[in-house]
């Protein structure tokens, strides 16, 4: 008798769990459907889009309205609610670019077997905030996490300078004197401006042994939901080993990280 009761309770618990999952799936399907439309959507259209019976869709929508996940625009039509915006802002405020980039950096490192850097701008320098590398890359990592380098001598730094207007670039050149580290360093303003024009045209930047002899880098920008350049993702490799084929993977990876931060490419045209 006790075993029968236990079996009945187990079956009841399993059934309730399945029902709960089904309700959640239907709620998500309705929210996804609402997200497809810029204007309020009728119950009839939502029912057709999700495949839910109108009475089922109506019942779930009413619950979502109470919790402010959905707004009732007018009788019989619905749109996404402000509660979703509030939650989205909480997620955004807690999302760190390093946290967003880490797994993508590891994936890019596994593909290229070279050092992958994540850097941000602080004043007239970039700061390395994370890195994926292995001893097999064949390159000694000179600048540790937390290390700094001048903007004009690094691929990521050039990305940030290319986002500045000409007046800001000239002011940077005046402040820093465009000091070089070796014979390959760009120390002339005209050459720097020409280089930044190439960066804008290409959509990525290069460092051809300008910071460290024997080391070349390529970098692509990471943008947040407002379109602001917030970080640079770069691949560093021995000068004779850097491959142009990595550019596509690098730019794609930076784009995926940007998407996680809420950035979407501007519409063409």
């Amino acid at each position: 008798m006790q075993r029968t009761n236990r079996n009945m309770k187990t079956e009841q618990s399993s059934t309730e769990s399945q029902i709960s999952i089904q309700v959640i799936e239907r709620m998500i399907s309705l929210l996804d459907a609402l997200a497809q439309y810029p204007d309020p959507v009728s119950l009839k259209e939502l029912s057709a889009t999700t495949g839910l019976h109108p009475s089922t869709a109506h019942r779930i929508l009413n619950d979502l309205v109470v919790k402010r996940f959905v707004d009732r625009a007018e009788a019989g039509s619905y749109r996404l609610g402000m509660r979703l915006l509030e939650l989205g802002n909480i997620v955004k405020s807690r999302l760190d670019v390093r946290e967003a980039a880490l797994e993508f950096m590891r994936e890019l490192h596994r593909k290229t077997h070279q050092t992958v850097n994540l850097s941000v701008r602080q004043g007239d320098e970039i700061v390395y905030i994370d890195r994926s590398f292995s001893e097999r890359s064949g390159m000694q990592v000179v600048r540790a996490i937390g290390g700094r380098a001048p903007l004009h001598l690094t691929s990521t730094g050039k990305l940030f300078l290319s986002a500045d207007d000409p007046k800001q670039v000239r002011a940077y050149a005046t402040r820093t004197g465009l000091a070089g580290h070796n014979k390959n360093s760009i120390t002339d303003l005209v050459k720097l401006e020409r280089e930044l024009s190439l960066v804008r045209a290409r959509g990525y930047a290069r460092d051809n042994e300008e910071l460290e002899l024997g080391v070349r880098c390529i970098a692509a920008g990471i943008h947040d939901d407002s379109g602001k350049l917030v970080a640079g993702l770069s691949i560093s490799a021995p000068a004779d080993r850097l491959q142009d084929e990595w550019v596509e993977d690098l730019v794609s990876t930076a784009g995926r990280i940007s998407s996680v931060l809420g950035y979407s490419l501007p519409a063409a045209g």
Side-chain angles (χ1 to χ4, degrees):
M1 186 68 177
Q2 286 181 341
R3 185 177 299 173
T4 301
N5 288 338
R6 280 200 299 268
N7 289 342
M8 289 176 63
K9 288 180 180 178
T10 300
E11 290 174 5
Q12 182 180 359
S13 176
S14 176
T15 301
E16 289 173 352
S17 177
Q18 290 173 358
I19 292 172
S20 296
I21 293 171
Q22 188 179 58
V23 171
I24 292 170
E25 289 174 344
R26 289 173 175 177
M27 288 171 60
I28 292 171
S29 69
L30 284 165
L31 292 172
D32 284 342
L34 285 166
Q36 297 175 27
Y37 297 90
D39 299 315
V41 192
S42 69
L43 175 62
K44 181 179 179 181
E45 194 161 2
L46 285 171
S47 176
T49 301
T50 59
L52 296 174
H53 191 277
S55 63
T56 301
H58 185 259
R59 184 174 65 252
I60 295 173
L61 285 165
N62 279 345
D63 289 340
L64 290 171
V65 167
V66 171
K67 298 297 183 182
R68 297 173 49 241
F69 289 102
V70 170
D71 288 339
R72 188 180 285 108
E74 53 190 54
S77 66
Y78 302 85
R79 63 187 174 199
L80 293 177
M82 293 301 292
R83 182 61 179 151
L84 291 171
L85 179 61
E86 293 168 3
L87 293 175
N89 284 333
I90 291 172
V91 172
K92 177 187 170 185
S93 68
R94 294 176 180 173
L95 190 59
D96 183 297
V97 65
R98 179 183 173 276
E99 178 185 349
L102 203 53
E103 191 51 47
F104 293 107
M105 291 173 64
R106 290 170 179 160
E107 182 183 329
L108 186 60
H109 169 67
R110 286 193 293 268
K111 186 174 287 188
T112 63
H113 303 293
Q114 301 301 320
T115 301
V116 177
N117 311 287
L118 183 67
S119 311
V120 297
R121 179 177 186 171
Q122 284 190 3
D124 292 338
E125 298 175 310
I126 64 161
V127 179
Y128 297 90
I129 62 172
D130 214 328
R131 175 175 284 125
S132 290
F133 73 100
S134 63
E135 299 301 327
R136 291 186 303 166
S137 67
M139 187 186 75
Q140 181 181 1
V141 176
V142 178
R143 281 169 171 74
I145 294 172
R148 295 170 176 269
L151 296 176
H152 66 288
L153 300 183
T154 60
S155 53
T156 293
K158 290 175 186 176
L159 288 174
F160 281 104
L161 284 174
S162 72
D164 286 348
D165 62 39
K167 184 178 179 180
Q168 291 172 312
V169 174
R170 288 193 295 270
Y172 167 83
T174 300
R175 285 194 306 272
T176 63
L178 296 181
H181 280 205
N182 60 59
K183 62 184 177 65
N184 296 321
S185 300
I186 295 177
T187 57
D188 178 76
L189 177 58
V190 174
K191 288 183 180 178
L192 178 61
E193 289 174 331
R194 192 180 304 133
E195 178 80 0
L196 298 181
S197 293
L198 283 175
V199 173
R200 296 184 195 102
R202 291 169 174 161
Y204 66 94
R206 291 181 177 273
D207 158 19
N208 290 308
E209 302 183 69
E210 296 156 51
L211 182 65
E212 303 287 345
L213 288 174
V215 179
R216 294 169 62 206
C217 304
I218 48 177
I222 296 171
H223 299 79
D224 66 11
D225 63 324
S226 69
K228 180 183 177 183
L229 179 65
V230 293
L233 186 72
S234 64
I235 298 174
S236 301
D240 60 352
R241 201 176 297 178
L242 190 73
Q243 300 177 24
D244 288 340
E245 301 87 75
W246 294 339
V247 170
E248 185 176 348
D249 286 331
L250 174 69
V251 171
S252 172
T253 301
R256 290 161 67 194
I257 298 169
S258 298
S259 295
V260 172
L261 295 175
Y263 176 70
S264 57
L265 285 170

